[in-house]
Structures are given as C-alpha cells and as structure tokens.
Amino acid sequence: VIGVRTIDWVDGAVEIIDQTALPQQTTVLRLSTVDELVAAVQTLAVRGAPALGVAGALGVALAAGQHGQDEERLRHAVHLVETARPTAVNLARGAQRASARLADGPDAVLAEALAVRDEEIASSAAMAALGADLVTDLCGPEPRLLTHCNTGALACVVGGTALGVVAELHRRGGLGGVVASETRPLLQGARLTAWELGQLGIAYRVAVDGAGPFLMARGAVDAVILGADRICANGDVVNKVGTYAHALGAQRAGIPFLVVAPESTVDMSTPSGGAVEIEDRGADEVLAFRGTRTAPPGADAVNPAFDVTPHDLVTAIVTDRRVVRLDRGERL
Ligand code: MRU
C-alpha cells in the first residue's frame, strides 16, 4: 500500500501491516500491549532491521504506558522487547534509545520512539539517492540488479534500503531489470519484494535462491544489491541467509556486491560477524510450508535465519550518510 507506513503509532497503540498475510491480504494489525508487539516481531508480522528498530522503540513506549511506575514489570517488559529477536541490531538499539528516557515519563519515551521512526523515514530517502548514484557509477545506464530478501518499505517505515535504491533507479528511468530471489524458507522475496515491486509498477522476475550465482555467471546480472541486519566494525555483513552465497557468486562473476543499510544498522561494538548471535528459527519452517509438511516424518532441520558475508566480498556499503568502498580499502 504505497503511502501507508509499515509501522506507526496511531491513537495510543502500534499499527503494522501484517507481513505474514501478504501478498494475499493487506491487513493492519493493532498492537496495544507488549505481549502483542513481541509476538508480532517473533512471527515476522513486522520484520526487517529498520522496522524492527521502530518496533523496539515503540514497544518500550507501550511498556511505559502499560506498567507506569511498576519498575520491576517495566524492566521485564523492556527486556522482552529488546530480546524478541537477537540478530538485527536495530531492535535492541531502538528499545535502548527509548528506554533511556523512562525516567522522564511515558511522553518522553514516546517522543524518543517517534524520533527513531522519523529518522528511519529520512534515512530511506538519503540511501536511495546515494545508492542510485553509486549503482550508476559502477554499472552504467540500465543496470540489471539482483536483490535478496525484502528491503523495501515493508522492512522500514516507508521507502526502503536496497529496494529503495532499485525504486529510485526506476524513477530516474535507469533500471535495466530486477531479479528478486525468493528467500527460503519464509519467502520474503517471492511474497513481499515481488508485491512491493508490483505496487511500484516495476517489472521483475522471481528466482529460486540457488539460481542467483548461476545467473551472475551467465552475465544476466550486473550487480547484487541487498540490505543488512547488522554491519560489524570490520565491515562483515550479517543479513538474511542466502546473502553469503550471492556474495560468493558476485565475486566469482566479477560484479559489484552492494549493501545498503542505515547507520542505525552499523554496530561498531560488534567487531566481526563471528560475534553475532544468529537466530535459528527451528525446524518447522524448513520441513513444512504454511502448515503442510513437505519433509518425511522424522526429518530434522537446521534453520539459521541469517548468515555472515565477510567484508572482503563486499564492494561497498551505502548508508544514509556515506558510501564506504570496502573494495578500495576504505573502513567504516
Ligand atoms: O528475518 P527478516 O525478514 O526480518 O530478515 C530481514 C532481512 O534480512 C533484511 O534483508 C534486512 O533486515 C535488511 S532490511 C532493510
């Protein structure tokens, strides 16, 4: 829904577009309690690093309204919000920013949370412009791009990170094509990115995750562009599982591998990817699809939701403030 915010504060509660129901249904969920917000984060009804940052901050605003002066319950509620998912640094960071204002009362907490929201909105526009300039510099006119997972408005508040760059290139009349990798097992690419590209009027094709490196090897892709859940001090990129394989494919094909994420995703206190807790979402997401078992009885699974792309595979990181050319030895 172009123009509708993925997450916002509306009349004393958090409202989100329910991303588990897309693309079949566009439903707005109203979250009035911390428990509802934590459940929405854990089921991926709201997801994507920048949106999780806003969810974390607004979750603390809910906690402040719910628990008022009861310090112990308040502290527990804030902890639940902060730790609802472990990998994207934005969630804990957003929650911590809002909770730093708890002593000043619920209005101050909410004001801080709304500042987190507004900063993410401003970041999207800045990344789109910087990223589109960089893609044009590196690839020339009409680049054919491959993107992974969902990095559009649904992952932010409006706009997007990598998908915001794709949209900006389209707006400038300079996009040669876009492939959205489907993003197993929850299909953020095939469901959400495809839906957003359709809403934006951008032609696209969906590919299975494993096709990416082959498409690059065949010369069908000029650059890979995607987002991040945490960027470490040494430039390692933690992002949706499958990212690393795409980075290897890009290196082998000799094409740029570009990461677009706001400064709020850069975590200088995490030295490298090895220090990051990677969420394992359990076997069911891999062995079944939307409640229908696809693997035989007795099958087990491993389900890391993210992976780590070493910094030496990354051509450049684009934030809302800078372009860091890792390929030229620049550092964060
Ligand atoms: O598990 P998800 O859907 O929250 O994972 C999201 C991603 O990995 C995105 O690529 C990342 O958050 C960047 S979003 C702008």
Side-chain angles (χ1 to χ4, degrees):
V1 193
I2 294 169
V4 173
R5 291 176 175 177
T6 296
I7 178 165
D8 209 353
W9 182 263
V10 182
D11 299 332
V14 179
E15 287 192 354
I16 60 166
I17 297 176
D18 180 1
Q19 298 189 42
T20 64
L22 286 170
Q24 285 80 10
Q25 283 162 13
T26 311
T27 314
V28 171
L29 286 182
R30 195 167 164 82
L31 314 170
S32 308
T33 66
V34 167
D35 285 351
E36 287 171 0
L37 179 124
V38 167
V41 167
Q42 291 179 339
T43 56
L44 274 54
V46 58
R47 49 148 296 284
L52 288 176
V54 180
L58 291 177
V60 174
L62 281 179
Q66 239 181 300
H67 300 300
Q69 301 306 310
D70 186 338
E71 221 175 279
E72 200 171 316
R73 293 183 72 179
L74 187 52
R75 212 175 324 115
H76 179 64
V78 168
H79 177 74
L80 291 179
V81 172
E82 245 182 89
T83 57
R85 293 183 76 193
T87 306
V89 69
N90 300 63
L91 177 67
R93 198 173 249 179
Q96 283 157 12
R97 256 185 75 173
S99 54
R101 301 299 307 278
L102 280 169
D104 303 322
D107 289 349
V109 174
L110 179 59
E112 189 67 27
L114 296 180
V116 171
R117 176 202 65 188
D118 293 344
E119 286 168 30
E120 291 302 349
I121 291 171
S123 287
S124 280
M127 285 182 284
L130 280 176
D133 290 348
L134 177 67
V135 171
T136 304
D137 280 355
L138 290 171
C139 303
E142 312 230 328
R144 298 158 303 161
L145 303 176
L146 182 142
T147 190
H148 185 55
C149 196
N150 171 264
T151 62
L154 291 170
C156 300
V157 180
V158 295
T161 63
L163 205 65
V165 174
V166 171
E168 175 64 12
L169 286 163
H170 172 74
R171 201 186 61 75
R172 295 181 185 181
L175 183 65
V178 56
V179 172
S181 63
E182 64 173 352
T183 319
R184 281 281 296 152
L186 297 180
L187 305 186
Q188 287 93 330
R191 294 189 301 110
L192 307 177
T193 299
W195 182 78
E196 284 200 55
L197 286 166
Q199 292 262 318
L200 291 164
I202 300 175
Y204 63 88
R205 290 179 296 171
V206 177
V208 297
D209 293 350
F214 173 66
L215 293 172
M216 295 175 217
R218 277 282 163 105
V221 173
D222 298 313
V224 176
I225 187 162
L226 38 64
D229 290 87
R230 187 184 301 231
I231 295 173
C232 307
N234 71 343
D236 286 357
V237 171
V238 183
N239 191 48
K240 179 54 56 192
V241 68
T243 298
Y244 178 39
H246 284 121
L248 289 168
Q251 184 201 41
R252 174 82 183 192
I255 61 172
F257 182 84
L258 307 173
V259 176
V260 185
E263 292 286 340
S264 57
T265 301
V266 177
D267 181 16
M268 296 305 282
S269 67
T270 300
S272 66
V276 179
E277 183 184 347
I278 300 293
E279 176 183 12
D280 188 303
R281 293 190 54 83
D284 288 352
E285 287 179 356
V286 176
L287 302 175
F289 186 70
R290 288 198 162 162
T292 302
R293 182 89 180 179
T294 50
D300 199 1
V302 57
N303 185 16
F306 303 94
D307 61 24
V308 178
T309 298
H311 57 88
D312 59 295
L313 295 179
V314 178
T315 306
I317 292 170
V318 179
T319 77
D320 44 303
R321 288 213 296 267
R322 52 190 170 149
V323 174
V324 185
R325 288 290 298 264
L326 299 187
D327 64 338
R328 291 181 177 166
E330 292 177 8
R331 312 276 312 244
L332 282 162

